[in-house]
Amino acid sequence: LPIWDASFLVNNVRVDGFGYDARFYDSDGIQWSGWHRHVWDDKARVLQRVPVTLFDRDDITFWDFIVWALKEMKISYPKDDDYATGLF
């Protein structure tokens, strides 16, 4: 199982992203395992972890992970740009 992490930072503070942990707790204190999304809670001024199944596939590639993570975070990139296509 590949384990990757993607983050969107503002002023060096993670405000969105995806990750994988063998064990983590959500905002209700429930223990989970696996893929989760880091979601900024502006009212509480903390990062919450929310379980997701988006990446629960044995055949996921790093490219799939990055593209799906960026899409879910609503981050666009120039798909035809030589720099962007050369990254992967």
Side-chain angles (χ1 to χ4, degrees):
L1 173 69
I3 300 174
W4 302 300
D5 198 68
S7 302
F8 179 67
L9 307 175
V10 175
N11 295 326
N12 287 330
V13 175
R14 180 188 284 198
V15 295
D16 200 351
F18 292 93
Y20 183 94
D21 284 312
R23 181 177 56 207
F24 69 92
Y25 295 90
D26 66 14
S27 60
D28 296 323
I30 298 171
Q31 182 176 317
W32 295 85
S33 176
W35 291 102
H36 56 276
R37 184 171 188 173
H38 299 270
V39 179
W40 180 255
D41 181 338
D42 201 40
K43 183 177 180 181
R45 311 266 316 142
V46 296
L47 199 64
Q48 304 290 348
R49 293 181 181 185
V50 179
V52 296
T53 58
L54 182 64
F55 309 112
D56 287 345
R57 293 180 35 192
D58 291 334
D59 62 342
I60 188 170
T61 66
F62 181 66
W63 177 253
D64 291 337
F65 172 75
I66 292 297
V67 169
W68 293 345
L70 292 175
K71 181 178 178 182
E72 288 297 312
M73 291 188 283
K74 296 184 178 16
I75 298 172
S76 62
Y77 61 95
K79 295 171 185 64
D80 295 330
D81 184 290
D82 287 338
Y83 177 74
T85 56
L87 289 175
F88 311 100

